[in-house]
Amino acid sequence: MMNDRQDRALDTLLATDAYKLDHRRQYPKGTEFVYSNLTARGTRLPDVDATVFFGLQAYLRQLQQRWQVFFDLAPDELDAVLTAYEQFVTALLGPNDIGAEHFRQLHTLGYLPLRVKAVKEGALVPLRVPYLTVENTDSRFFWLTNYLETELSAQLWQPITSATLAWRNRTLLDRRAALSGDEDAVKFQGHEFAYRGMTGTEAAAASGAGHLLSFCGTDTLPAIRYIQQYYPGNDGELIGASVPATEHSVMCAGGQDGELQTFDRLLQLYPAGTLSVVSDTWNLWRVLTEYLPARADEIRSRNGKLVIRPDSGDPELILCGDPNAPAGTPEQQGVVRLLAETFGTVRNDKGYRELDPHVGAIYGDSITYERADAITRNLMDQGFSSTAVVFGFGSYTYQYQTRDTFKMAVKATWVQVDGQGRDILKDPITDDGSKKSATGRLSVRRRDDGRPYLIEHADHECDDELQIVFENGQLLRSHTFAEVRANLRRDSVIREGWTRT
């Protein structure tokens, strides 16, 4: 019976695909080094030509922590783990000659003999340009590079994808606010609600952290902890924030006939600050046309904002009004116009109407880039600022994705066999070309307009954007989350230049 530490060490050895277990013996005899890269090879979103690199530092810290458990095993503990490993593999594959001696040698070495080079986290990386390269540093462990491929891919595709989607949404909302509203408000205009729809807490944390590169609003507490643990040292910079808010069970508990009294209780409980109240538990239009007008003076007297949250129906029609509904009905007017009627508006210096600062609206059900685009355009067409509403981006945005959203893959491009380097590549004749890999040792440079580009068959690494991050078990370069955000802001500006050239 193994103890908990031994179980965790065994899990670390098995954090790969079954087919990789014997690749060590399948490489050509004399193989010494394997060199691979992680690249987004394409996109399912036609307007995306670059992705946001994020999550490597967290993964490398996790990798260090988990493998250290293995390296810290005492000899008798190691024997038990390697015996369990061989038993597991035999149960999986049947009789085999894979063995566990290679892991015993690795344990004797005492660290992961790998070198990882990467662009800075937060960088905007054009499609088909690598984020990182990884290679072994000890010829005995050439097999280790791609043994970790599966986990590397699994741990990075989600934060990269979510960070890219958040940046895409932020770019849209920034453009609209520049024309119509308070540009500083945009950092809170995208609020993340995805936790419950993700595949687990770990995925929610990594994805939610990707969201927080572009926004400051979140309800996913593990995302904040992920950042504090893996990107520390932010000198007081706000990572994420939320507000007191209700859910349907709170509204239901007082009964439908007591909904107005529920509003009264909430307003007394929160006499100041922002309060978000889900308002379509029964009849959203009654809330907007009866309850809020009845409590308008109290709401105006608060030192804060009451935010109305519908989350059922077509978001654009609910917020902006349904032009096909009977004229003059609440449905035809929509949430924003009804709030404007009751509480008034202020015209900003860009000529658009802002809601009274004591009220606002948030919609958090099935919001997508396309819906945010349509809603902000509709509001502006009606003369309202694009920042009149907040969007709750949930699992429909962040979980309704796959590794193939940006066709992410880890591929080997160079090996050394018997002292001779070999450029290798994958180029299936039956493919449309998107799976063709780069070849040789790789370098990433920047053009005069700031756009990163790939150099294949790189014979030197001068001015390379790919810098050593991890080597022989040690994290050599790290970023604070504030620095990652700054990198993204910098590259967002630079990208404006390269898209015009």
Side-chain angles (χ1 to χ4, degrees), residues 284-285 288 310 312-325 329-338 363 365 367 371 374-376 378-379 382 389 391:
L284 172 67
W285 309 120
L288 289 160
S312 304
D314 182 306
E316 183 178 1
L317 300 182
I318 298 297
L319 291 172
C320 303
D322 183 354
N324 295 318
T329 62
E331 293 88 344
Q332 189 261 339
Q333 291 176 285
V335 170
V336 174
R337 273 195 286 175
L338 290 172
Y363 203 104
D365 182 60
I367 293 296
R371 283 175 170 166
I375 291 165
T376 52
N378 193 329
L379 289 172
Q382 295 184 44
V389 299
F391 297 106

Side-chain angles (χ1 to χ4, degrees), residues 6 70 73-83 103-104 107:
Q6 290 169 304
F70 170 74
L73 293 174
D76 59 330
E77 291 179 307
L78 176 65
D79 289 341
V81 168
L82 296 186
T83 297
F103 283 122
R104 190 178 298 278
H107 182 270

Side-chain angles (χ1 to χ4, degrees), residues 50-164:
T51 59
V52 180
F53 180 49
F54 178 63
L56 177 64
Q57 182 169 302
Y59 170 64
L60 291 175
R61 289 186 188 276
Q62 294 165 348
L63 193 72
Q64 283 178 307
Q65 293 165 4
R66 288 188 293 102
W67 277 93
Q68 195 58 49
V69 174
F70 170 74
F71 292 126
D72 286 344
L73 293 174
D76 59 330
E77 291 179 307
L78 176 65
D79 289 341
V81 168
L82 296 186
T83 297
Y85 173 85
E86 291 182 319
Q87 291 172 343
F88 184 100
V89 173
T90 298
L92 178 75
L93 300 176
N96 63 83
D97 295 318
I98 294 173
E101 184 59 27
H102 51 304
F103 283 122
R104 190 178 298 278
Q105 291 177 353
L106 185 59
H107 182 270
T108 299
L109 183 66
Y111 60 84
L112 286 173
L114 294 172
R115 179 182 301 115
V116 179
K117 299 176 65 178
V119 300
K120 291 181 178 179
E121 294 202 41
L124 281 170
V125 183
L127 301 174
R128 304 197 70 82
V129 173
Y131 307 111
L132 63 86
T133 63
V134 56
E135 61 187 313
N136 59 295
T137 60
D138 186 316
S139 62
R140 294 173 297 172
F141 304 104
F142 64 89
W143 54 270
L144 187 60
T145 299
N146 272 20
Y147 194 87
L148 298 179
E149 172 202 343
T150 307
E151 184 183 58
L152 178 69
S153 177
Q155 291 291 90
L156 290 186
W157 79 259
Q158 181 100 60
I160 292 172
T161 300
S162 295
T164 301

Side-chain angles (χ1 to χ4, degrees), residues 54 159 162-164 166-167 205-215 227 398 481:
F54 178 63
S162 295
T164 301
W167 165 73
S207 172
H211 169 87
L212 289 170
L213 279 182
S214 291
F215 295 102
I227 292 163
Y398 292 124
F481 195 67

